[in-house]
Amino acid sequence: MEDAVAALKPLNPDVWVFVSAAAVYDVSSDPKQPIKESDGVRPKDAVRRETFAEHNTFGDNMLAAEDVLVESGIPYVILRCGDMVGPRDTTFRWWQYQMWTEHFDLIGAGFPVPEEHEHLPFSMTYGEDVGTAIVSALNKGVTNEVYNIAMDKTFTLPHYLLELCTFFGNGESCWADYTATMESYALYPSNHMGTLDLSHAQADLDFVPTPWEEVLQTTVSFYEQARQNHAKERDEVLNRLNKNVVPYLRVEALNGVVLNAEQRESEALNRVEL
């Protein structure tokens, strides 16, 4: 971050929009619920600061980057986002859960839900909403402000999984493993301090998050198409599930179902084109 500041500061930019993360609150001192931007302050106690940093390196680095930007004198807007979801998410977390849900009966493994996550609320941020917030901040000319950006729906991991299972019509057949440990393959949440307060962004930026129903439909549709259009990424998702979730004897069956579905879709498109 220091190198970027050194390069940009002589150019006298009007504003630097920095997309940060709600993980900064995991290294902050006792955020209240819902979490306001003013809660993003490190503990005064050095031992607590060091302990928090050890447990969340990403959050510590993001808050350090924010500090460098704020102290640089460059006009800034900082957007703190929850767990990012939507099309083109390169973490593949949603896509793994979607494939897992769609083929739950075949995989035969319950969703790991560690005890610490069962009732832990968290916020998700739709990628398109970040773009909307950036455009709004630039159009309104705000500077030297920090905003939480997220959906206005609160999630827990079991709640999110139930929404996904219900969408695919197998809500009654899916099940969760509540005996799982923190080291298990639970992909959400990555932030552990709670949900984000959106009132500052709503007041300054007229921020209106995309409704959850639209996010769900759009994201599921994208990854259904990506199964054919993004074969490299699809295979990476399959590999992660096969390595971490799928019982050994079921790996070949899952691969066959997913790849055969992709082949059927390709054949159908060819027939349409003819």
Side-chain angles (χ1 to χ4, degrees):
M1 191 62 165
E2 290 86 350
D3 291 342
V5 166
L8 287 178
K9 190 168 184 178
L11 303 178
N12 295 316
D14 293 332
V15 64
W16 182 341
V17 180
F18 180 61
V19 179
S20 186
V24 301
Y25 299 118
D26 283 355
V27 296
S28 298
S29 180
D30 303 320
K32 306 298 186 293
Q33 291 296 315
I35 303 172
K36 293 182 177 293
E37 292 83 354
S38 56
D39 290 327
V41 179
R42 296 183 188 276
K44 294 181 179 180
D45 181 74
V47 175
R48 290 187 70 200
R49 287 201 304 272
E50 183 176 344
T51 300
F52 287 177
E54 289 176 354
H55 283 84
N56 195 317
T57 303
F58 175 70
D60 182 59
N61 289 339
M62 291 300 284
L63 190 53
E66 288 186 13
D67 290 341
V68 171
L69 176 57
V70 170
E71 294 167 4
S72 71
I74 297 174
Y76 64 85
V77 171
I78 295 173
L79 306 180
R80 291 175 178 162
C81 304
D83 279 300
M84 295 295 300
V85 297
R88 302 176 183 83
D89 172 19
T90 56
T91 69
F92 300 140
R93 291 179 295 177
W94 180 298
W95 199 352
Q96 288 179 80
Y97 274 136
Q98 179 171 325
M99 193 177 292
W100 193 344
T101 300
E102 192 173 3
H103 303 291
F104 191 89
D105 290 339
L106 176 60
I107 293 174
F111 302 114
V113 178
E115 180 180 357
E116 294 86 346
H117 289 177
E118 183 175 355
H119 303 292
L120 178 65
F122 65 98
S123 292
M124 285 182 162
T125 301
Y126 185 46
E128 296 290 332
D129 288 344
V130 179
T132 300
I134 291 173
V135 171
S136 179
L138 295 176
N139 287 340
K140 292 179 177 296
V142 297
T143 58
N144 301 336
E145 293 286 353
V146 182
Y147 299 104
N148 291 330
I149 302 296
M151 284 184 273
D152 56 5
K153 186 179 183 69
T154 297
F155 297 89
T156 63
L157 179 56
H159 176 204
Y160 163 75
L161 293 171
L162 179 59
E163 292 268 352
L164 205 55
C165 290
T166 302
F167 183 89
F168 283 102
N170 58 1
E172 295 184 358
S173 61
C174 292
W175 55 277
D177 177 11
Y178 290 101
T179 66
T181 65
M182 284 295 288
E183 290 72 32
S184 65
Y185 205 62
L187 305 179
Y188 294 120
S190 59
N191 311 307
H192 303 99
M193 295 307 295
T195 57
L196 302 179
D197 185 301
L198 307 180
S199 59
H200 189 36
Q202 290 168 334
D204 279 17
L205 306 180
D206 298 324
F207 176 66
V208 179
T210 302
W212 162 245
E213 293 75 17
E214 182 178 340
V215 172
L216 177 61
Q217 178 66 62
T218 301
T219 307
V220 167
S221 297
F222 175 83
Y223 289 118
E224 285 179 338
Q225 296 172 18
R227 188 169 53 193
Q228 175 186 346
N229 300 332
H230 300 280
K232 179 181 178 181
E233 290 79 7
R234 176 206 64 212
D235 292 345
E236 174 63 24
V237 171
L238 267 175
N239 288 337
R240 292 188 189 185
L241 285 177
N242 288 335
K243 177 182 178 181
N244 297 291
V245 175
V246 184
Y248 175 74
L249 294 177
R250 300 187 180 216
V251 168
E252 185 175 350
L254 177 63
N255 290 346
V257 167
V258 173
L259 297 179
N260 286 339
E262 181 264 335
Q263 182 178 356
R264 289 195 300 272
E265 291 169 1
S266 178
E267 291 172 351
L269 285 173
N270 289 336
R271 287 196 297 271
V272 170
E273 291 172 357
L274 293 175

